[in-house]
Amino acid sequence: MTAPSPASNDGSGLRVDAERNRQRILATARELFTEHGLDVPMEDLARRAEVGVGTLYRRYPTRTDLIVAVFEDKMRNYAQAARQALEDPDPWSGFCGYVEKICAMQAGDRGFTTVLTMTFPTAKQFEADRDRAFADFSTLVDRAKAAGKLRTDFVTEDLPLFLMANAGVLAATADTAPDAWRRVVAYLTQACAATAAQPLPSPPKPQQVYKAMLRATRRQRTK
């Protein structure tokens, strides 16, 4: 009789040792991405996770693959935040609360700070969650405008600009003034109020914003 393999399946479709390595890689990546951002060398990550570099690349051939695996839960939470904002009976309160909440999500995780300014065309579920959040945010914007609270020239493409601005503030102040982002976000939301509206330059086109996010993704992929 043949002895059973020590690497039997655990029900996940992966051998037990392979699943253990996967969990170790993801846990280490979450820790390093949160602490240091997405630029952590893959070799350092493999060493910290106590797996071979070959093991890391077999499971996650590119940095993008690993980023998506690490942040898929947070992207779902991001989408859920938009749905919760729609449930607020006051559209203006929902709008301001949503902007502050996602900026807080950025502040709590340096890796996610960057993820929200990137796009991942080949990660279907990841992008589906982002698209759902965008659609709900668009509805929230329309409601806040209809209530006469949100300036009429606000466009949904302004939100990625807010996130990019917040990412820059966080990168510059996280170690010295970790709450500085709150003041910047307060300025941004107050400037969105209909009562504060003054003429603005034309917004970027949606395709221009998408290209900026895609360029950020490509920079991470090559690191």
Side-chain angles (χ1 to χ4, degrees):
M1 179 179 295
T2 303
S5 169
S8 58
N9 286 346
D10 65 351
S12 66
L14 292 174
R15 297 187 313 172
V16 173
D17 56 345
E19 173 63 11
R20 188 180 299 113
N21 285 339
R22 186 183 75 87
Q23 293 291 347
R24 186 181 295 123
I25 290 168
L26 290 178
T28 302
R30 287 190 190 99
E31 181 179 343
L32 292 179
F33 287 165
T34 298
E35 293 175 358
H36 306 293
L38 303 183
D39 297 339
V40 178
M42 298 290 269
E43 293 76 11
D44 291 354
L45 195 154
R47 188 180 309 110
R48 178 89 162 256
E50 298 181 345
V51 300
V53 174
T55 297
L56 172 59
Y57 279 110
R58 277 194 300 274
R59 185 63 188 168
Y60 302 105
T62 69
R63 182 182 296 269
T64 298
D65 294 327
L66 181 58
I67 289 170
V68 169
V70 168
F71 291 106
E72 58 186 356
D73 287 343
K74 287 197 173 182
M75 187 58 77
R76 279 194 293 269
N77 292 339
Y78 170 70
Q80 185 59 31
R83 183 57 50 91
Q84 291 171 348
L86 282 177
E87 295 172 357
D88 192 318
D90 181 347
W92 175 244
S93 173
F95 173 87
C96 293
Y98 175 69
V99 172
E100 183 174 357
K101 185 169 185 176
I102 60 173
C103 287
M105 291 176 71
Q106 283 187 303
D109 188 327
R110 289 183 64 179
F112 200 57
T113 296
T114 307
V115 167
L116 285 179
T117 66
M118 299 163 66
T119 189
F120 304 84
T122 61
K124 301 304 182 185
Q125 185 57 52
F126 206 71
E127 288 301 292
D129 287 334
R130 187 200 299 275
D131 290 345
R132 179 160 59 91
F134 185 80
D136 286 343
F137 179 67
S138 297
T139 301
L140 185 64
V141 166
D142 291 342
R143 290 182 182 179
K145 287 181 179 180
K149 299 294 184 65
L150 178 63
R151 56 186 306 147
T152 59
D153 56 354
F154 182 91
V155 294
T156 51
E157 287 72 36
D158 286 328
L159 182 61
L161 297 184
F162 284 11
L163 296 177
M164 291 176 190
N166 192 46
V169 170
L170 288 167
T173 66
D175 297 332
T176 56
D179 289 330
W181 69 272
R182 296 183 183 278
R183 184 174 178 86
V184 174
V185 172
Y187 270 128
L188 292 173
T189 53
Q190 288 177 32
C192 289
T195 54
Q198 296 291 331
L200 291 172
S202 298
K205 295 180 174 60
Q207 189 63 22
Q208 291 174 316
V209 174
Y210 177 79
K211 286 181 178 179
M213 296 170 69
L214 190 60
R215 186 177 300 116
T217 309
R218 287 171 176 161
R219 283 199 298 267
Q220 289 296 333
R221 188 180 296 131
T222 58
K223 289 176 180 177

